[in-house]
Each structure stands twice: as C-alpha cells, then as structure tokens.
Amino acid sequence: MNYQIQTFDEYQAAYQKSVEDPEAFWAEVAQNFHWRKPWTKTLQWNFDEPNVKWFIGGKLNITENCLDRHLATRGDQPAIIWEPNDPHEAGVTLTYRMLHDQVCRMANVLKRNGVRKGDRICIYMPMVPELAIAVLACARIGAVHSVVFGGFSAQSIADRINDAQCKLVITSDGAFRGGKEIPLKSVVDDALIGCPSVERVIVMTRTRTPVAMLKGRDVWMEQELKQVTADCPAEEMDAEDMLFILYTSGSTGKPKGVVHTCGGYMVYSAYTFSNVFQYKENQVHFCTADIGWITGHSYIVYGPLANGATTLLFEGVPTYPDAGRFWEIVDKHQVNILYTAPTAIRSLMSFGLEPVQKYDLSSLQVLGSVGEPINAEAWHWYDDNIGKNNCPIVDTWWQTENGGILISPIAGITKTKPTYATLPLPGVQPVLVDENGKIIEGNGVSGNLCMKFPWPGILRTTYGDHERCRQTYFSTYPGLYFTGDGCLRDEDGYYRITGRVDDVLNVSGHRIGTAEVENAINMHTGVVESAVVGYPHDIKGQGIYAYVITDQLPDGHDADLTKRDILATVSRVIGPIAKPDKIQFVTGLPKTRSGKIMRRILRKIAEGDTSNLGDTTTLLDPAVVEEIKAGAV
Ligand code: WTA
C-alpha cells in the first residue's frame, strides 16, 4: 500500500489536500484496493437528510481485498494468530491461504443453510478464529453481519435480532472468559423464544458445555463444514451495499443499528490502520478489543487484513490467569503494536510492576489507546513501563458511527501530548460549537465536537429507521455531524476529548445509555421510578449510580436483597456490563415543575460534590435534594 504517510510534512500536505479536494484525495487512496469495477463519482453528500455516498457505482468485495489479493504475495504469512483463554492450550496460526480457505468453506456453509446476499446474520461468539471467519464469510457472500458482544443478555440479543430481522445465528456451545464458562448457546436459546425471523442456528463447539439442539433449526458447524468445498467466489457488491450493522447505545431508547457499507468502510478502516499505527511488513498487531465492538471490527479484522498484516486475536481477559497475561502474550508472540483501552491499563496498574517485569517487552514499537479519555497517570504508566519511553502512544478518538479513527497522532510522526488525541487525520474536519451551534474559531477554546465534512467511514443510516439517524446525529446542529462529545482545542490546535455531553455513559470503555439502564431497573417489581447518572470511577472511568424509588422497602423487604435483585434484573435485561455500581433508595427525585428530572443535581451528588448544587428553586420539591444528599452512597 503506498498511502502510508512517512513524515510530518507529508501529513500536513495530505491533510491540506484532503480538505481542498477531498474527492481527489480519497480517489487516490482508494486506487490502492482491488475494485471489480471502478466508481464513476467519488462522493455525493448532504448532512440534512443525511445522504452520504462514496465511490458511487464502484463494485468490489471486501474479502477479495482482505484475502484473495494477498495470496500471491503473502499466502504463507500469518494472517491471524490466535491466543486462547488458557495459556496452556495450544493456540492457532492461520496463514492468509488457510484463512482464505476457511472463510470460503464457512461462506459455503451459510449458502447451504439458505443465506443469500442482503440477509442479516447475527453472530454471538467467543473470541476464537471462527468469529473472524464467520464475519468474513458473511462479507464473502454479501450477507450483512450483526455481531453481538458475548456479554449481552438474551433480551439484548433478541432486540438486536428482531430489529434487523436476522435469518440465521452463528454461536458456540459456550465461551471461556478468564475463570468463567459462559453458556452462549443457552443464552441464544432464551433469546430465540421471541425471534420468529430466525430459521437456522449454526453452533460451533468450544467448551463442550451440554447444549439443546433443536431439530430443524440447530446444526453443528463442524458437521456442516464437512459438507462443503473451499470454492466460493466472492459476491460482487456495490460500494454502497451494506457490509454490517453494529448496535450501539445513545441517549434515548434502545440501542440503534449503525450501518456501514462496503466501499467507504474498507477504504477508511484500512487507511487509518496503516497510518495511525504505521504498520510495517511482518509486524504483529495486537488489538485487545472484542470483535463485538467497532474497535474489533476495524482493527482486528478488516483494517489489518486489508493491509496484509498479522493480527492477534486473544480469547481471554487481561487478568487471567494473572495480571501478567498481556505482557506474556507480547513476549510470546513478539507483538510490535499493542492497542488497548485505558480501563485495562488502569486495572493492570493496580497490580504493580512485578507482573510486567517478568516479560520481555522489547518487541513493542507502538502503543495505542481507545474507547475513553486516558488520564495522565495511566498515560505515563503505559509510556514508562510498557513502552519504556521508547514507543509512541497513539490516543485514538473515534466512535462506532465513524468506522475508523478520526483524531489521533500518527505513530512516531505526530508529537504526542498526554491526554490529547492531538490532530485530525487526513479527511477529517472537526469543528467545535457552542450550545447555540455557533462554530468556535481559534485555539485555546472548548465546545461540542462536530464534523463538517464526511469521510468514507461515516455511518450511512441507522438500520430500519433513517429518521432516527438524522435526529441523533444531524439535527442538533444543522449541517454538522454531532459526536456527543465535549472537546477542547489547545493553543497548538491539539484536540483533547473530555467525555460525553449527552446522557451516554462510558463504563470501562463501553457505551451505555442512562435511559437503557433506567428502563432495565424499572422492570424490577417494586421499582416505581429510577434515575441513572455516571460518576468518576478509578478503574472503569465512569461508574453507574442509580437513584431508585421503590415501594417494596416499607413492606419489610431487605434493602440489600432488593439491591441484589435489581442488579440481577439489569443483568438479565441488558447484561452484566450495565449493572449499577451504586444504588441509593430515595423517596423522590429532583424534578422541575414540568416533570423533568434535574440530572445535573444527581450527577453532582453522585460525584460527591454537594457544596454547590446550583439553582434548585425551580424544583417542584426542593426538600428532596436534602434527603438525597444525606443518603448518598
Ligand atoms: C469515547 C469506540 C476520549 C467517546 C471506538 C466516544 C474516547 C465514545 C476515545 C465512542 C479517546 C473513544 N479519548 N474518548 N481516545 N475513544 N472515546 O462507539 O466518548 O464504543 O464518543 O467507539 O467513546 O464509543 P464507541
């Protein structure tokens, strides 16, 4: 690929060109890929409907770009290195040739089971090679994948399957995660009670947990694979055909299905992978995210493979069997690029340096951070102890809706600054706006972060509800894409993302809507009403604080038991990641006369800052604030 920037001057020149003539800039980048048919128009867009199309008329298949075209030059090079949960279990290395073969076989299994171009497929799997293979197999035949993170509940899976009307589910008997065994198939079985669109379930064997196999619906992946050949020509896709749906939380309602399309997403995830991490031939790239999130889609699967890179896929967790696991993996596989989340760094910091010092980390050349603001302490610990002050840290800011990284240093090229995502990548045009939508010019300012021009990886719609896409991202500030993040731009023009300005929480790097958690809490018998806010948490970044009105306690129910029941309810409705860290029972919530909850006050109390609660005179019942303050947990 010859789109890799080599110097800061080149970055500046590329940036300038990308702003002056975006179409020419991206057309040149896109020439690096294999298109069955070239596009006729590079870009058509408006942010009002919105309507964004890139590489119009272009035909391609992303798997030909990720697999087939590498066979002649690097067929025997590792594409995926898989490290299992248990360090004593043998891992797997798949060369590009082997991966190509397996993707084609899996694609034929899907076809055999009735899947056609355009069908939606739900994937609920552990972090095993078969997950990446399933994703690519869908792309091979033009089916749309919707990967659901293995920690979500049956209810969450059912909601996602129904929203996208998935026809088939790919899962496994179970998953190993640290010391735990999670019965994935059984969770899927619960979900499917309410999912009439699903005709078939393909089950991979991983844990050998006993599973129910429904006749006529459920088939074993291993048996299916025996029935097919490895010959599966790639389906020809339009650049704007849907590639995948990925559900993400917002400030209102249920999670929405963010839609990415084949051409733009491919170009953008691949371009940003190569540039941000400065990937060099034969390096090993280890992104610790789960493929169930966008980071895994773009920087474990598509971005690396489109560049012919070697990507490491890890099944387990950073602290199993002990807190040295990441470092052991780096040493064992001679990892060159490590891309992880601040929450993982903070959690590993708390174990001290002993687990780090046991391993040789000298293979590392670039470190990455993603998912939430990285605090200065974590940044320096990462720099000093993992990078040994010798590896650039790329603090990459982006979102599910963006397809790839938008603001980040380019490793070794952009001068870094702790806690700053630094500068926009070529093609990215950030603006800061005040609450009236007025663009704030100049440096040394802060505001709400928006984008004023599309890049190839921007979401195209939210599945089945285009109006929701317009409302959520394009209506707050007309003519702009609104990120939902607050941001400051310092004197040097460097960007620092300060966190969400809407009702979305970022807990351990996971996006969770407060409304979603409230709905889940309210499903518990005895809960009358609840309000959820975030508060600073040393490891998770943000913790979840729930204020709950219940009518059970006066009945003589035990408060601790009721709290546990509420946690169990939230786990059941969303998944364990959404469980509140703190629950406070209250008799009322601070509401305005029009019935709106004043979250500002609840946030302050949750943060432990009750000195200045601001104006409370508009409250219906100001006394309730005193009660809440007194009972804060
Ligand atoms: C936050 C994850 C600060 C931000 C790729 C954004 C960050 C949300 C950073 C998107 C970063 C992500 N610094 N905040 N480097 N990266 N965020 O959709 O609030 O899971 O809006 O995508 O995470 O989360 P999502």
Side-chain angles (χ1 to χ4, degrees), residues 177-434:
R177 197 172 304 137
K180 291 195 210 122
E181 221 178 286
I182 300 145
L184 297 189
K185 172 62 164 63
S186 147
V187 179
V188 167
D189 286 336
D190 287 346
L192 294 190
I193 292 170
C195 299
S197 63
V198 174
E199 293 165 13
R200 187 70 87 230
V201 180
I202 299 178
V203 186
M204 177 203 152
T205 309
R206 175 66 187 120
T207 54
R208 302 217 154 259
T209 314
V211 294
M213 292 291 284
L214 220 71
K215 192 185 286 171
R217 189 192 74 180
D218 302 349
V219 294
W220 292 108
M221 185 184 285
E222 295 77 9
Q223 281 178 5
E224 288 296 303
L225 284 166
K226 285 191 192 134
Q227 316 292 321
V228 295
T229 70
D231 178 23
C232 181
E235 186 79 30
E236 184 167 294
M237 305 296 285
D238 189 90
E240 284 298 334
D241 277 340
M242 226 185 289
L243 175 63
F244 66 85
I245 306 171
L246 189 57
Y247 284 83
T248 191
S249 295
S251 49
T252 55
K254 292 203 166 167
K256 46 193 173 294
V258 167
V259 170
H260 286 289
T261 56
C262 297
Y265 174 81
M266 170 181 77
V267 169
Y268 198 71
S269 60
Y271 177 80
T272 51
F273 172 76
S274 167
N275 278 293
V276 169
F277 302 104
Q278 289 289 300
Y279 183 85
K280 302 286 185 290
E281 201 71 18
N282 298 317
Q283 285 188 328
V284 176
H285 172 78
F286 176 19
C287 167
T288 70
D290 192 288
I291 294 177
W293 310 110
I294 191 69
T295 305
H297 281 60
S298 299
Y299 300 113
I300 296 177
V301 183
Y302 288 115
L305 297 178
N307 283 284
T310 299
T311 179
L312 195 147
L313 204 156
F314 173 44
E315 184 182 32
V317 297
T319 48
Y320 180 83
D322 58 54
R325 190 64 193 280
F326 276 1
W327 324 127
E328 185 222 327
I329 295 173
V330 168
D331 189 349
K332 176 170 167 194
H333 297 289
Q334 292 292 292
V335 169
N336 305 109
I337 304 168
L338 175 69
Y339 189 30
T340 193
T343 193
I345 299 168
R346 287 190 299 262
S347 138
L348 294 175
M349 272 167 74
S350 69
F351 292 89
L353 288 179
E354 206 216 314
V356 181
Q357 284 157 350
K358 287 207 288 218
Y359 301 100
D360 175 14
L361 305 183
S362 62
S363 58
L364 286 174
Q365 294 178 14
V366 173
L367 301 178
S369 172
V370 62
E372 44 175 328
I374 180 165
N375 49 311
E377 197 192 351
W379 197 99
H380 285 294
W381 188 87
Y382 201 28
D383 188 32
D384 295 344
N385 301 300
I386 307 306
K388 321 282 182 197
N389 303 115
N390 210 14
C391 300
I393 296 182
V394 291
D395 176 1
T396 65
W397 173 84
W398 61 299
Q399 314 175 290
T400 305
E401 295 85 346
N402 306 156
I405 298 164
L406 295 189
I407 304 183
S408 169
I410 295 182
I413 290 177
T414 313
K415 196 168 171 300
T416 60
K417 178 170 178 179
T419 75
Y420 280 74
T422 76
L423 297 172
L425 295 180
V428 176
Q429 300 190 34
V431 289
L432 301 184
V433 300
D434 65 19

Side-chain angles (χ1 to χ4, degrees), residues 44-63:
Q44 179 188 312
W45 74 286
N46 73 66
F47 275 176
D48 305 321
E49 296 173 60
N51 178 6
V52 179
K53 292 194 171 84
W54 282 94
F55 312 114
I56 296 159
K59 304 283 179 195
L60 76 157
N61 186 291
I62 195 168
T63 70

